[in-house]
Amino acid sequence: MNGAPVPRTLGIESSCDETAVAVLDGEGRVEAHVLASQIEAHAPFGGVVPELASREHLKALPLLVPAALEQARGKIGLVAVTAGPGLVGALLVGVRFAAAFAWARRLPLVAADHLQGHLVSPFLSLDGEPARPIPSKVLALVASGGHSSWYLMDATGTAERLGRTRDDAAGETFDKVAQVLGLPYPGGPVIDRLARRGDPGAVPLPRPRIKGVPFDFSFSGLKSAAIRWIRAERLEDAGAREDIPQPVYDLLASFERAVVDQLLRPLPELARLHRPEMITVSGGVAANSLLRRRLTEAGWDLGVEVVLPPPALTTDNAAMIARAGQLAFARGERQDPRRFDARPSTKWQPPGMRRKR
Ligand code: KG4
Ligand code: ZN
């Protein structure tokens, strides 16, 4: 699209535990961006409870949509909604709401892919600027609670996956290690803060490679090693103590560095192969300060511009969904509101509630 006019867009996101609504003008300026987090509703269960998520979305959407429309500076001309991947019940609430909204007002409706939303988030601003144009070759890392992959994206927002995690997602490993230490959910933001007080060289942790697939990575060996170390040092739940012992800070700093090493390892070779004009990172883990710093440094080394999303747009939000919807609209995609359905992927599972380890 990059420049071609699109209508002012209402975006709706309800794939997991965040209900979010946004309005973007035709140039991708964020006019409204509201969300209702369900973290407190799920916290007693240590992860996202799917049925609870659907009911919370059902309560929040009728409040958030009018609140977002109130902040919009003109009439809505397009509705975009996350169709997947995500929890089927949670997605359906947003999808049916968006379809009814579009149908009643005779507005065009587009499906947005949640990951494509994350991919376009670095191009958005929260300072009233229009969305940045996407160059023709972007090397993009998405690291969230459910996904960790490298993509090659073109100017239309279409992306091809180049490498991925073979087991856990980066955010999931942060959440799990935090849980063993008795730290609150989600673990990523807490670890980010506490790791600053530790020595990243203190605890040796493995950085396993996957044979024959140079751009895929793995986190489960690293996570298990960290948990084994915590148990051997008898530090389970030590994060909940008034005085957190120094070895906890050291473990967190070492663990954070190992996760960032794993995420960034494919970058030099991918950059050599694809010669990107830009490198981006998105998803909840893109808020991580070490990852942001290390990626920026990698960009200097490679001579490629690095673009980071505004921290408030790293976790799930609807501004990114509205933008992904605008790009889909510009590519000519449309949905029939009467036949439109959610597209949950069977592989996707809610953070904190995955298979037993
Ligand atoms: O993108 P997101 O909101 O939801 C998914 O689509 O999964 O990502 C949430 C994930 C959680 O696992 C959370 O622990 C992680 O992002 N996260 C972080 C940070 N902030 C959030 N991980 C590391 N450092 C952070 N500062
Ligand atoms: Zn997400």
Side-chain angles (χ1 to χ4, degrees):
M1 154 176 69
N2 291 341
V6 286
R8 176 176 277 100
T9 307
L10 175 73
I12 294 180
E13 152 68 34
S14 71
S15 64
C16 188
D17 59 345
E18 210 95 54
T19 323
V21 181
V23 176
L24 263 58
D25 78 2
E27 291 173 42
R29 274 184 202 86
V30 180
E31 294 184 339
H33 150 58
V34 290
L35 38 98
S37 170
Q38 303 179 4
I39 285 182
E40 277 178 27
H42 299 283
F45 306 98
V48 180
V49 183
E51 182 50 33
L52 194 56
S54 314
R55 275 186 268 149
E56 294 289 316
H57 289 309
L58 211 48
K59 276 196 258 170
L61 269 182
L63 303 174
L64 293 184
V65 169
L69 292 177
E70 183 105 342
Q71 294 170 32
R73 299 202 194 103
K75 268 180 100 87
I76 301 295
L78 173 67
V79 181
V81 62
T82 308
L87 300 168
V88 63
L91 287 165
L92 270 173
V93 175
V95 159
R96 292 322 315 156
F97 195 101
F101 187 97
W103 174 246
R105 289 164 184 75
R106 301 284 182 266
L107 294 174
L109 174 70
V110 285
D113 180 277
H114 183 80
L115 292 172
Q116 212 153 28
H118 279 304
L119 280 166
V120 301
S121 62
F123 298 87
L124 293 173
S125 140
L126 286 176
D127 305 324
E129 300 291 324
R132 269 185 80 155
I134 304 177
S136 59
K137 268 194 202 177
V138 182
L139 209 46
L141 171 65
V142 180
S144 71
H147 305 271
S148 296
S149 303
W150 278 98
Y151 294 87
L152 187 64
M153 178 164 63
D154 69 19
T156 71
T158 308
E160 172 198 353
R161 191 171 65 194
L162 303 173
R164 65 180 168 100
T165 175
R166 286 304 182 107
D167 36 59
D168 301 343
E172 189 184 357
T173 62
F174 279 115
D175 297 339
K176 184 67 195 172
V177 166
Q179 191 188 19
V180 176
L181 284 169
L183 293 165
Y185 174 87
V190 192
I191 293 184
D192 192 348
R193 196 162 37 82
L194 300 183
R196 303 282 79 77
R197 299 167 67 169
D199 170 7
V203 181
L205 292 169
R207 288 148 174 77
R209 283 170 184 265
I210 294 170
K211 261 203 182 135
V213 266
F215 305 131
D216 282 1
F217 33 87
S218 157
F219 291 107
S220 76
L222 167 55
K223 177 194 68 190
S224 305
I227 293 173
R228 270 198 308 276
W229 188 90
I230 295 167
R231 294 202 169 122
E233 300 291 318
R234 303 195 177 284
L235 288 170
E236 292 112 318
D237 293 321
R241 291 186 208 158
E242 189 105 342
D243 260 331
I244 299 179
Q246 186 59 37
V248 170
Y249 295 120
D250 290 342
L251 181 269
L252 292 178
S254 307
F255 172 71
E256 184 188 51
R257 183 158 87 178
V259 171
V260 171
D261 283 348
Q262 288 292 78
L263 284 171
L264 297 186
R265 194 173 50 205
L267 176 59
E269 186 61 11
L270 287 177
R272 198 185 61 77
L273 275 175
H274 297 284
R275 308 210 162 275
E277 290 155 67
M278 188 186 277
I279 299 168
T280 63
V281 62
S282 57
V285 182
N288 183 268
S289 34
L290 180 67
L291 177 60
R292 291 172 85 93
R293 195 176 75 230
R294 288 269 307 276
L295 193 65
T296 306
E297 288 165 2
W300 292 336
D301 288 346
L302 296 164
V304 183
E305 185 187 10
V306 171
V307 177
L308 304 169
L313 296 183
T314 53
T315 43
D316 293 347
N317 65 85
M320 68 182 197
I321 296 306
R323 188 59 184 164
Q326 293 188 328
L327 291 157
F329 182 83
R331 293 194 299 266
E333 294 171 27
R334 305 285 185 276
Q335 299 297 328
D336 179 344
R338 293 164 303 178
R339 291 185 182 81
F340 179 41
D341 210 350
R343 298 170 200 157
S345 150
T346 48
K347 290 196 199 91
W348 195 89
Q349 303 205 36
M353 283 275 172
R354 297 196 175 82
R355 62 197 174 275
K356 264 197 142 36
R357 280 166 274 258

